[in-house]
Amino acid sequence: MDVPKSTRVLVIGGGPAGSTAATLLAREGIDVTLVERAVFPRYHVGESLLPSCLEICELTGAREKLEAHGFVRKHGGFFSWGHESWDLDFAPLPYPYGFQVIRSEFDQLLLEHARSQGVRVCEGVAIRDLAFDEGRPRSATWRQAVGGSATGEIAFDYLIDASGREGVMVSRYLKNRRYHEAFQNVALWGYWAGAGAMDFAPPGSIANGSIDDGWLWGIPLHDGTMSVGVVQHKVAFKEKRERFGSLDEMYLAAIADCPLIRDLIGSGRLVSELRAEQDYSYISESVSGPGYFLVGDAACFIDPLLSTGVHLATHAAVLAAASLASLLRGEVAEEQALGFYEQSYRQMYLRLMVIVSGMYQLYDGKQTYFWKAQKLTRGDYNDSEAMNRAFLYVVSGMEDRKDSAQALRALELELLASGLSEEDAQRNLFLYQAFDKVIFLSSMDPDRAGGVLHVTTAPRLGLTATEPAQPAHA
């Protein structure tokens, strides 16, 4: 499709974040153009989806297509972690499963669905430059990246940057991405045929197994293969790379150190080349500004331990689309919409980061992780069963979905250190201290956010004002 001269909203990037945001806006009758550098299908890692994604696909109208495609239904997960093992069963959730997907197929399904909903989709088109008017992006020059050499310019009122790790706004203009020192990890993965299944875990579960210097994943896919990856800090990765003769040997040695994954693979065989990625945990100092929203990997990413990548992308897309729809209809001021988006996105991100960081303390034990989870929810759970439920809601993404439908309130993260030794308190609060006012606390300003906004999906997608919520544990 030809790129138009102008559009109300320009979306850069056709992955889950861009496709979801564009679809939701188009379904609200808003003129949306999506440009994507690649021509789909294209490869992407991140095959394990949380139950929250099922709810979001229902909201976009794509759930029926997702269900019919044949992806593996993911009913939970299994953790062999430190000195304990436990399963995670999604059955109690309102959306009781996610999916294990081949991302090239999943992403293309979402992009084609966006096109069917009225989004003007332009594949093989790369953004060369953005033009600004007093700090506000107003137009983009583009070039045909696949199948030709055409160039042009497109004007817009609002920009949604969903351009992934490349991050058009962040890398070229804002330059405000921060990488987390604690998560300077390297992932190395490949695909196996002939792997087994976990009959001791919910059907379609992801397997997560820790080793002394990292952890491994195992994800069953509907083409009969299993995605198997190892994650290690880059210091350990460098040491092992020097010790072993090749990446393949290092990878196989890590699998041998993890009984859960080793037994799953059994007599299977590696049927792909290995892929690697590093330094992938980061957040931008701001995820929105005058005339623009950063969504998905263009804004932030968390270590893949809890499979939160597509959840962060699609839930943020809902937040951005709701904020922008209300803004364009004149229901909220731009400052309110941007403030709500910043606050909501950061709260989601930090809550998940706290849980992930806690689980890297391999020997804290599952009850410690569950206790942290209940401190990061609206509930005040005292019994272990309820704390388990809090952990389930956080790591499934459903707590974020619940939060978006209620007036926001700050999480009292200092409580994560209560009752601990000074050393453990400092360890558990390192994220809170590292984010400081620049990263998180400044975004909780109720005067900027409006303080009382939440997302509504009926009769229209947008933001609605309610009475301010009281702080948790007030």
Side-chain angles (χ1 to χ4, degrees):
M1 178 180 289
D2 293 335
V3 181
K5 296 292 185 181
S6 65
T7 187
R8 194 76 190 275
V9 179
L10 176 66
V11 177
I12 306 175
S19 293
T20 299
T23 298
L24 290 170
L25 290 170
R27 285 165 69 93
E28 292 300 311
I30 296 167
D31 175 48
V32 185
T33 299
L34 183 154
V35 296
E36 162 59 45
R37 175 192 293 270
V39 173
F40 281 24
R42 55 92 174 97
Y43 176 82
H44 205 287
V45 73
E47 297 104 342
S48 196
L49 308 188
L50 302 179
S52 61
C53 297
L54 186 61
E55 180 182 8
I56 292 169
C57 284
E58 187 171 275
L59 183 61
T60 64
R63 179 176 177 178
E64 185 176 346
K65 298 173 183 176
L66 181 61
E67 298 278 11
H69 191 82
F71 295 126
V72 173
R73 284 191 178 185
K74 173 187 174 182
H75 289 272
F78 186 84
F79 292 86
S80 177
W81 208 254
H83 59 279
E84 293 182 300
S85 295
W86 72 92
D87 64 21
L88 189 67
D89 193 337
F90 294 150
L93 297 171
Y95 291 82
Y97 55 90
F99 286 98
Q100 314 284 26
V101 302
I102 294 175
R103 281 290 301 275
S104 60
E105 298 177 19
F106 174 72
D107 291 6
Q108 186 172 23
L109 184 154
L110 293 190
L111 188 63
E112 291 300 327
H113 180 69
R115 185 180 275 117
S116 75
Q117 300 300 296
V119 177
R120 188 183 295 107
V121 175
C122 306
E123 296 180 75
V125 173
I127 297 300
R128 299 176 61 182
D129 295 293
L130 295 174
F132 294 80
D133 180 8
E134 297 183 350
R136 188 183 193 90
R138 285 297 193 182
S139 65
T141 56
W142 57 269
R143 64 175 177 83
Q144 193 171 351
V146 178
S149 58
T151 61
E153 184 174 358
I154 179 171
F156 52 82
D157 294 328
Y158 281 91
L159 174 70
I160 292 180
D161 184 354
S163 56
R165 289 188 65 183
E166 175 193 0
V168 171
M169 281 288 291
V170 167
S171 63
R172 302 185 198 176
Y173 304 102
L174 300 175
K175 301 187 184 300
N176 63 355
R177 181 176 289 174
R178 288 193 181 186
Y179 288 85
H180 302 309
E181 293 293 329
F183 295 104
Q184 291 186 354
N185 294 334
V186 180
L188 185 64
W189 72 92
Y191 297 86
W192 292 72
M198 297 182 293
D199 57 8
F200 46 84
S205 287
I206 184 174
N208 292 286
S210 66
I211 54 178
D212 287 343
D213 51 11
W215 63 277
L216 290 91
W217 76 70
I219 301 171
L221 302 173
H222 71 286
D223 66 352
T225 66
M226 176 173 283
S227 172
V228 176
V230 57
V231 177
Q232 297 172 309
H233 192 274
K234 66 180 184 181
V235 173
F237 182 88
K238 182 179 179 181
E239 291 174 351
K240 288 196 171 186
R241 188 167 188 177
E242 292 173 353
R243 189 192 328 158
F244 289 94
S246 67
L247 287 179
D248 290 66
E249 288 183 24
M250 186 176 78
Y251 173 72
L252 294 174
I255 291 173
D257 286 342
C258 182
L260 175 64
I261 302 299
R262 183 187 66 220
D263 293 347
L264 267 178
I265 290 173
S267 59
R269 67 190 189 282
L270 182 64
V271 294
S272 73
E273 295 183 354
L274 294 181
R275 296 175 178 264
E277 195 166 299
Q278 66 178 347
D279 290 343
Y280 42 67
S281 293
Y282 56 83
I283 189 170
S284 300
E285 291 180 8
S286 61
V287 295
S288 63
Y292 68 88
F293 297 82
L294 310 183
V295 181
D297 291 0
C300 61
F301 189 77
I302 299 176
D303 182 276
L305 174 57
L306 296 177
S307 305
T308 54
V310 175
H311 164 70
L312 279 166
T314 55
H315 181 65
V318 174
L319 297 175
S323 300
L324 189 48
S326 275
L327 174 56
L328 291 175
R329 291 195 295 260
E331 297 163 353
V332 296
E334 184 174 78
E335 186 178 13
Q336 287 180 296
L338 297 177
F340 170 82
Y341 183 69
E342 286 276 345
Q343 179 175 344
S344 300
Y345 208 156
R346 294 185 182 287
Q347 181 158 299
M348 168 176 61
Y349 186 85
L350 185 54
R351 173 160 49 208
L352 292 171
M353 279 291 287
V354 168
I355 295 296
V356 170
S357 69
M359 291 193 68
Y360 267 91
Q361 309 301 325
L362 294 179
Y363 298 102
D364 279 357
K366 66 178 182 179
Q367 287 306 123
T368 300
Y369 313 141
F370 295 172
W371 177 81
K372 286 181 179 180
Q374 71 93 2
K375 294 294 184 184
L376 296 168
T377 65
R378 292 174 181 267
D380 188 10
Y381 308 115
N382 295 315
D383 61 278
S384 60
E385 182 178 348
M387 286 195 293
N388 295 356
R389 189 165 63 251
F391 181 81
L392 176 64
Y393 266 79
V394 170
V395 302
S396 67
M398 296 309 297
E399 188 67 23
D400 296 319
R401 300 294 303 141
K402 285 169 54 182
D403 259 4
S404 68
Q406 304 176 63
L408 289 163
R409 85 283 182 272
L411 299 171
E412 295 186 13
L413 298 174
E414 297 97 327
L415 291 173
L416 292 174
S418 62
L420 300 175
S421 68
E422 181 176 352
E423 179 181 354
D424 285 344
Q426 290 301 313
R427 185 187 68 197
N428 279 275
L429 281 174
F430 86 93
L431 275 175
Y432 181 82
Q433 295 166 337
F435 274 32
D436 203 19
K437 293 184 178 181
V438 173
I439 297 296
F440 182 67
L441 296 180
S442 65
S443 71
M444 305 304 291
D445 180 359
D447 293 332
R448 181 170 186 236
V452 296
L453 297 175
H454 68 272
V455 173
T456 55
T457 59
R460 322 180 66 167
L461 179 68
L463 301 182
T464 299
T466 60
E467 291 299 319
Q470 295 300 313
H473 312 287

